[in-house]
Amino acid sequence: MPMFSSNRRNDIPALEYDMNPYESFMKKHLQHYGYYTGRNASFRQSYQNFADWDQVTSFGAEVSDSDSESDDLKNSRSDSHRERDDTRTTQLIYSFKEGKMVPRLREPRQLYAINNKELGPQQTARWPSEIEVLPDRVKHISNGSNGEPEPFYKRTGEEHTPWIKGEDNGGEVVYEYEPRNTPFFMRSRVGGYRGEDLRAYIYELSDPNDPTLIFESRFESGNLAKVIKVGPYSYELWLRPDYYTGKHTQWYYFRVTNTRANVTYRFTIVNFMKSDSLYNHGMRPLMYSDKNAAQKKLGWVRCGSEIAYYKCNMRYVSGKSERCHYALTWTCQFPYNNDTTYFAHCYPYTYTDLQDYLLNITNDPIKSRICKQRMLCRTLAGNLVYVLTITSPTNDSEQNKMKKGVVLTSRVHPGETNASLMMKGFLDFLTGTSADAKLLRDTFVFKIVPMLNPDGVVVGNYRCSLAGRDLNRNYKTVLKESFPSVWHTKNMIRRLKEEREIVVYCDLHGHSRKRNIFIYGCENRFRPERRLRERIFPVMLSRNASDKFSFDACKFKVQKSKEGTGRIVMWNMGIMNSYTMEATFSGSNLGKKKGYHFSAADLESMGYDFCDTLLDYCDPDSTKAEQILVELEERMKQEILQQMQKIGQTTVVSPSDIDLDDYYTSGLESSDGGSDSSVSDGLPVHLQYLAEQLPKKKKRLKSKKERDKERTPSKKTTQATAIQEGIPFEGKTSDRPGTAHQKSHESHKMSASPTGHIRYTTVRPKSRDDRTNGGIPIFTQERSDERAVKKLLKEMVESDYLEAITNAYLQNGVLRADDLQQQDVPHLRYSSRQGQQSPLPEGPCESHQKAFAASYVANTLGLKASWLPGRLQTIKRVHFHPRLPHSRSPEAEP
């Protein structure tokens, strides 16, 4: 019986009990409005057309975590459409298995999937709503320098380093754009700010002959904040820091128009923060000409002369101090008049470029079968973070489970565009038709996140996301909403590790201070069976790419300051080969490429070399790997021997005498301290801002004891401490008047105790069977009494009670004479009164009064008198304890 049949009884529509209740109710409800009455017969035909479309349409990605789709599911689609009229749910599909139709649930679609039939980008980039964005997209061709190598700039030592003038010294602002001030990211939209009150200032030409350049950077990945014209052809440029931060000025990308050919222009970027740069070692900026691209098919090329990177006269506040900015200056000539020219720190690769590349893969009928795309998550701005699964489709589930995993990620730092070029080369090779590529797909399951920080890429940040923090310091975070891309990436890797062994994890980066390409790894020195094995893969890579990759520059030390990076977090999860691969922004000093910049093709070829090395590393014949391991052990022994010779140890004379179990220490491991990675900045900016708005706790007032302790100067070696500790005293004695009395007290203290303090201890009774009259052991009773006495004395010492009773006891003569030792002769205080020739004694000094009072109380309580004087210095306030008698206040006359 058809799903939507109409049974009528007495002209009243009946409920179809063979349907589910919801569909029955909805059909009855819609019949009231004229549906299912014959007037909408075209609806069924359109529904059939939709079924036909659904039958022939495939999706470029599936939500299922499975790495391949079975052919049974594909063959059952037509059967599921034929059975649709007879089923009561659209979630069941049928497939023939052993002569019977077996139902199963349909795989969910279009929840995280990406449709491969769209003609255009999957999603337009989203911007923070306060940022102004130009509507036109910037496009570049990929060809550059006609394939010719581009040499480093050779410094002459006579480069001009201009003094920064600014607008206060006659400069004219020709471009300025400062986004609306918001403390943290709040909302985003496609196209950014849509208001009419634009804040960007663009210089307007006064006449066609005006030679002033027109600057612009309000496009994707652009970065330029301000330009000041300080000469006819000289400009000072200010870069914008990462959004919602006040630092990280390294990436620049802007364009100029209204150019003049054969005229030497000088550009000076004035607000860099790093003290050293590859520009000091021959690196040159990149330039792109629209007319060159249109006429000569020539893309990005290196340009510039008189290049210098130096400390300039501009300063900025860092914490409680001021630091100097660093400036980059260069000169260049434009090839054409009225050309549109771009300058960049490295080859730009935007979020839209990635979307176009992935769209080409999904529209390719062959690549789309081996490369499945999913949306891993959305960023703070709502941009998609893609994850690709690349492997050969197979019907054998057991064979699929035997495959090992490989994970690659890139662009966690948005300004490191060379990482995207290496990733592009890797994807080109892996999705290609070569025999090696097919072997890799048959052997491994590749999980790839090509862009971890699309928000930062869109807005032109160098290092941070819109949370204002470095994502590569927050892989340990539990703040899923603040750092969604790294949180989901870590959990995706954890799930993959539960399914299969992960051979390699590699995060691709760029480096701004070193040449060549190298790796940061994690040493396994506490596991002898894995020792030095993390270095086998980098050694193989250095042999496959000997003119680009440097093993000598690789570092394997695990530092606490880097424990939040992806490399160390994945290593702690159990992935031995956990790497960060760093590619220089400059070039190579190895082999044939020595002295030349890396082109975009060179960086892409590094992705090919990585795949080739992966095959070598996982070769069933482990001869090559074992040979490299032996070489690494010999190299480590040589390093240990050199280190021992430096410190003068001559017990070991040859590397063969060295046992790595005894001599392998972290001190011999190289450090990645040369990395330009920043330390973690703490919580996301919006959480810090909210914390500042919360009412602060009332500051607790400090006690007199705490205030006195803070005022006490740091301990210095005085004559008294020198005598007590038995060391020579070389300082000068004080000659201030009135110190003779203090010196006498110091001599009394030194003679009283050779150690400077007395420790109050209790000796435990030997017999544990002696009992008091109450049946309590003697030693238990004694300890209880001692605790009670200590508590009482503590309450007395913390008050001014002893201060109060001292005068009363002394004046009444209740102290015993035998309490005073012969050497402790009391010192008297003297006062000079008018009309008298000699001072009159007023009584013992304050120090002896306290000593007498302490002695009396100790005698009364049966304690040693020497236990109290040190406690008397902690008196806080006047407080008379009710347990001891007192008849008069300290101020009253006795």
Side-chain angles (χ1 to χ4, degrees), residues 505-522:
Y505 163 83
C506 188
D507 189 20
L508 305 181
H509 285 257
H511 207 284
S512 64
R513 298 182 186 180
K514 293 182 179 181
R515 291 179 179 174
N516 306 314
I517 301 173
F518 49 92
I519 271 179
Y520 290 146
C522 300

Side-chain angles (χ1 to χ4, degrees), residues 719-720 724 741-751:
Q719 187 175 8
Q724 291 179 5
H741 191 76
Q742 299 175 2
K743 292 179 181 179
S744 176
H745 282 296
E746 291 179 2
S747 62
H748 281 296
K749 293 177 182 178
M750 287 186 290
S751 60

Side-chain angles (χ1 to χ4, degrees), residues 780-889:
T780 303
Q781 182 67 37
E782 290 179 351
R783 285 186 176 181
S784 177
D785 295 340
E786 289 165 1
R787 284 195 296 268
V789 171
K790 287 182 179 180
K791 182 177 179 182
L792 176 61
L793 292 177
K794 182 178 179 181
E795 294 175 354
M796 293 171 55
V797 168
E798 289 180 351
S799 67
D800 262 352
Y801 178 66
L802 292 179
E803 189 81 18
I805 64 173
T806 298
N807 292 329
Y809 285 158
L810 289 175
Q811 296 295 335
N812 293 330
V814 296
L815 290 177
R816 297 187 302 181
D818 56 353
D819 292 333
L820 301 178
Q821 299 180 1
Q822 185 176 359
Q823 63 273 19
D824 290 336
V825 179
H827 290 71
L828 301 180
R829 291 179 295 178
Y830 294 87
S831 63
S832 298
R833 298 181 181 178
Q834 295 181 358
Q836 295 184 356
Q837 296 182 355
S838 61
L840 298 177
E842 292 185 346
C845 66
E846 181 180 358
S847 177
H848 279 91
Q849 287 179 2
K850 294 179 179 180
F852 292 157
S855 177
Y856 177 78
V857 174
N859 288 330
T860 304
L861 299 177
L863 299 175
K864 295 183 179 180
S866 56
W867 187 80
L868 290 173
R871 310 292 185 180
L872 295 174
Q873 305 301 324
T874 61
I875 297 173
K876 289 186 177 181
R877 59 190 180 276
V878 176
H879 174 72
F880 295 95
H881 201 281
R883 298 181 182 178
L884 295 179
H886 59 276
S887 57
R888 300 180 184 180
S889 64

Side-chain angles (χ1 to χ4, degrees), residues 64-95:
S64 174
D65 288 334
S66 61
D67 300 310
S68 63
E69 185 179 11
S70 65
D71 290 339
D72 291 340
L73 180 59
K74 297 178 182 178
N75 297 332
S76 66
R77 285 178 176 171
S78 58
D79 298 334
S80 66
H81 292 303
R82 287 194 298 268
E83 299 291 338
R84 177 170 295 178
D85 291 338
D86 297 331
T87 58
R88 300 181 181 182
T89 175
T90 59
Q91 298 302 315
L92 283 178
I93 59 176
Y94 291 84
S95 61

Side-chain angles (χ1 to χ4, degrees), residues 702-712 798 873-876:
K702 296 181 180 179
S703 62
K704 184 176 183 300
K705 177 182 178 181
E706 292 172 339
R707 295 196 302 271
D708 292 343
K709 187 176 181 180
E710 290 181 355
R711 287 194 294 263
T712 302
E798 289 180 351
Q873 305 301 324
T874 61
I875 297 173
K876 289 186 177 181

